[in-house]
Amino acid sequence: MKLTKKIALVSASLALGMAAPAVLAAENASVTLAATQATAVTVTKKTAPYYHKDGSKFTKAKPYKYGKYSSATTGKGANYKVIKTVTIKGAKYYYIGNDAYLKASDVKVTASKTVKAASLSKKTSTKTAAKKATSTKTSAKSSSKKTASKTSSKKTAAKKTSTKKAATAKKAAVPAGTATNVTSVTVTKKTTPFYHADGSKFTKANPYKYAGWTSTVAYKNITFKVSKELTLKGAKYYYIGNNAYLKASDVKVASSKKAAAKKTTSSKKTSTKSSSKTSSKKTSTKKAAKTVAAVKVAKKTVPYYHKNGSKFTKAKPYKYNGWSSTVAYKNVSYNVVKTVTIKGAKYYYIGNDAYLKASDVTVTKTK
């Protein structure tokens, strides 16, 4: 009897000895899961490169492009939203969307959030540890059953996911509409909603998303490319891609194929009708008076200007889709909406209430 009691006590102590480290390890693992994730960063260096997912830098020949903005590098003080943190070749990077990354050493974190996942893992790991301490055979059987059930549940989940994806793809399909000659539009109102294919507006819970930028509304003077024009519930809309639409009454047509075709026809007619020296002079004058379509910054840094000729300040910088700065940097290209004269000097309007001085840039494209 005494020998049996001793064996029982030894078995119990061994079980406790096995259980304690398992529980402790589980608790440590659950603590590790609670982490802070960066959600926004600001560039701290004078210039910082944009990187690809393989760790290579963007180049001047193939720069990082976002809307009207294109460049191989970013400048000090520029702010970006962070989608996720990744490790590339042993170094930490922040993914800012549109296939572009910023190196953690080139920026500082300005906003973050805490990822909560500790409580669920604690319960699961504690229960598993207790089961392991009670019986090795039982845990082995239960783990094999769990593995089998997990595998089957994964297959079921995969089937559900594929079904959901197929359903989403069907919903996301652009409704059939007549082809349009409108190629781009500019927002005319202070703010205008983004619409779904059924005519409903995007909401804060489910906003319009594009390359890390999220919003339920578009802002005045921002230009969007149009791929299709269609009618939803009796009203005209322009499809701007990414399952989003803008109402025709909220925008103005910035460019169209029809306008270009008319110009070509009229120039052809002029050249056919006119064979004299006077007509040739008129034709050459029309060709010379081209509209500036894009410019590139020629100086190291140049200011952004308001429509009254004043410069943007640090207190109120130029902002574009999460990016903010008071100056534009050398070799950065911008699309030009129109050419204006402010206090006797020529400026190029680049949208979003910002202008660049003609003397600070070089014209790269005309139309």
Side-chain angles (χ1 to χ4, degrees):
M1 288 294 288
K2 285 180 181 179
L3 184 62
T4 309
K5 282 181 182 180
K6 281 181 182 179
I7 291 166
L9 286 168
V10 170
S11 301
S13 64
L14 281 169
L16 286 169
M18 289 170 70
V23 174
L24 193 62
E27 284 181 0
N28 287 337
S30 65
V31 172
T32 309
L33 287 173
T36 303
Q37 186 179 318
T39 56
V41 292
T42 302
V43 179
T44 54
K45 295 191 175 180
K46 197 170 185 178
T47 56
Y50 293 107
Y51 292 87
H52 294 282
K53 62 181 177 182
D54 60 357
S56 61
K57 297 176 183 178
F58 279 79
T59 61
K60 286 182 181 179
K62 290 184 178 180
Y64 166 71
K65 292 181 180 180
Y66 187 72
K68 293 178 287 184
Y69 170 81
S70 65
S71 180
T73 59
T74 183
K76 191 173 182 178
N79 300 309
Y80 294 89
K81 287 184 180 178
V82 175
I83 298 169
K84 61 181 177 179
T85 305
V86 298
T87 303
I88 303 171
K89 295 178 181 178
K92 188 191 284 186
Y93 289 78
Y94 295 114
Y95 179 55
I96 59 169
N98 206 23
D99 299 325
Y101 301 77
L102 288 175
K103 209 168 190 176
S105 58
D106 296 340
V107 299
K108 67 176 180 181
V109 177
T110 52
S112 60
K113 64 179 180 181
T114 305
V115 181
K116 295 178 182 178
S119 57
L120 182 63
S121 61
K122 257 188 191 176
K123 288 177 183 177
T124 310
S125 57
T126 308
K127 283 180 182 177
T128 310
K131 283 181 182 178
K132 280 183 180 178
T134 308
S135 172
T136 311
K137 287 181 182 180
T138 310
S139 63
K141 285 180 182 178
S142 62
S143 63
S144 62
K145 283 179 182 179
K146 280 181 183 178
T147 309
S149 63
K150 277 181 184 178
T151 310
S152 60
S153 64
K154 277 182 183 177
K155 286 180 181 178
T156 312
K159 283 181 183 178
K160 284 181 180 177
T161 309
S162 60
T163 311
K164 282 181 181 178
K165 280 183 180 176
T168 310
K170 284 181 181 178
K171 285 181 183 177
V174 181
T178 54
T180 179
N181 286 315
V182 175
T183 53
S184 65
V185 292
T186 303
V187 180
T188 54
K189 296 185 177 182
K190 194 172 183 179
T191 57
T192 180
F194 290 110
Y195 292 88
H196 292 284
D198 59 0
S200 62
K201 296 176 183 177
F202 278 78
T203 61
K204 286 183 179 179
N206 188 22
Y208 169 70
K209 295 177 182 179
Y210 183 71
W213 181 78
T214 60
S215 182
T216 57
V217 295
Y219 297 92
K220 191 174 182 178
N221 294 326
I222 298 295
T223 302
F224 294 88
K225 287 184 179 178
V226 174
S227 57
K228 188 170 282 190
E229 177 187 331
L230 46 114
T231 303
L232 304 172
K233 296 180 180 179
K236 189 190 283 186
Y237 288 78
Y238 294 113
Y239 180 59
I240 59 168
N242 205 24
N243 302 318
Y245 302 78
L246 289 174
K247 210 169 190 176
S249 58
D250 297 339
V251 298
K252 67 177 180 181
V253 177
S255 62
S256 64
K257 288 178 185 177
K258 270 186 180 178
K262 281 180 183 177
K263 282 179 184 176
T264 310
T265 310
S266 62
S267 62
K268 279 182 181 178
K269 282 180 182 177
T270 307
S271 59
T272 309
K273 286 180 182 178
S274 58
S275 57
S276 62
K277 290 180 181 180
T278 312
S279 60
S280 63
K281 278 182 183 179
K282 284 181 181 178
T283 309
S284 61
T285 308
K286 282 184 180 179
K287 283 182 180 178
K290 289 180 179 179
T291 307
V292 174
V295 294
K296 185 188 283 186
V297 178
K299 297 179 181 181
K300 197 170 184 179
T301 58
V302 300
Y304 292 108
Y305 292 88
H306 293 283
K307 61 182 177 181
N308 62 359
S310 62
K311 297 176 184 178
F312 279 79
T313 61
K314 286 184 180 180
K316 290 184 178 180
Y318 167 69
K319 294 179 181 180
Y320 185 71
N321 291 351
W323 181 81
S324 63
S325 181
T326 57
V327 294
Y329 297 90
K330 192 173 183 178
N331 294 326
V332 176
S333 299
Y334 295 87
N335 287 336
V336 174
V337 181
K338 60 182 177 180
T339 305
V340 297
T341 303
I342 304 170
K343 295 179 181 178
K346 189 191 285 185
Y347 289 78
Y348 295 116
Y349 179 56
I350 59 168
N352 205 22
D353 300 324
Y355 299 77
L356 289 174
K357 211 169 189 174
S359 57
D360 294 338
V361 297
T362 54
V363 177
T364 54
K365 189 179 177 184
T366 57
K367 59 182 178 180

